[in-house]
C-alpha cells in the first residue's frame, strides 16, 4: 500500500515528498521502500493509467468492504464514512 501511495503521489503531483520521508512515515527502511516501489511498478508494468470501468469497479469493492467492516464493528463506535476522492481516469 505504501509503495502504491508513493507512486501515485509522484504520478499526480510535480512536487512530492522524498522516498526518505515516505519510508519514515511508513516505518520501513529507505532501501525497503525503494525495492517496494520498483516491485510495484514492475507489477503494473509501469502503467499508471486506469480505465474508467476498472476504477468504478474498485470503488464499488471498497464501498462494499467498508460497509462490511462497519456492520462487523456496529457493536463499537460507528466508523466515519470516507468517500473516495475523484480522480481523473482514462
Amino acid at each position: 500500500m505504501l509503495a502504491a501511495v508513493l507512486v501515485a503521489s509522484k504520478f499526480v503531483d510535480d512536487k512530492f515528498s522524498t522516498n526518505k520521508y515516505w519510508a519514515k512515515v511508513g516505518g520501513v527502511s529507505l532501501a525497503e521502500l525503494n525495492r517496494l516501489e520498483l516491485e510495484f511498478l514492475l507489477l503494473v508494468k509501469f502503467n499508471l493509467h486506469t480505465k474508467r470501468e476498472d476504477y468504478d469497479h474498485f470503488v464499488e469493492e471498497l464501498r462494499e468492504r467498508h460497509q462490511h467492516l462497519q456492520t462487523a464493528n456496529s457493536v463499537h463506535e460507528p466508523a466515519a464514512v470516507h468517500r473516495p476522492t475523484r480522480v481523473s481516469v482514462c
Side-chain angles (χ1 to χ4, degrees):
M1 181 63 90
L2 180 61
V5 172
L6 165 72
V7 170
S9 172
K10 289 179 176 182
F11 184 70
V12 300
D13 199 347
D14 290 336
K15 294 182 180 182
F16 51 84
S17 300
T18 64
N19 283 23
K20 183 177 178 181
Y21 169 81
W22 283 104
K24 184 176 181 180
V25 169
V28 298
S29 71
L30 177 57
E32 176 69 4
L33 181 58
N34 289 339
R35 186 190 67 74
L36 291 170
E37 179 182 17
L38 179 58
E39 186 176 331
F40 175 81
L41 287 167
L42 289 169
L43 284 170
V44 298
K45 299 177 183 166
F46 289 81
N47 182 3
L48 302 178
H49 293 276
T50 303
K51 294 179 190 171
R52 183 74 214 192
E53 59 267 18
D54 292 339
Y55 175 79
D56 291 341
H57 178 74
F58 180 69
V59 168
E60 186 57 34
E61 281 189 23
L62 286 176
R63 286 186 177 142
E64 288 173 10
R65 289 180 187 195
H66 174 74
Q67 183 64 36
H68 175 73
L69 288 173
Q70 195 173 20
T71 302
N73 294 327
S74 63
V75 177
H76 304 291
E77 204 173 301
V81 175
H82 298 284
R83 300 278 181 222
T85 305
R86 287 199 176 265
V87 296
S88 178
V89 293
C90 298

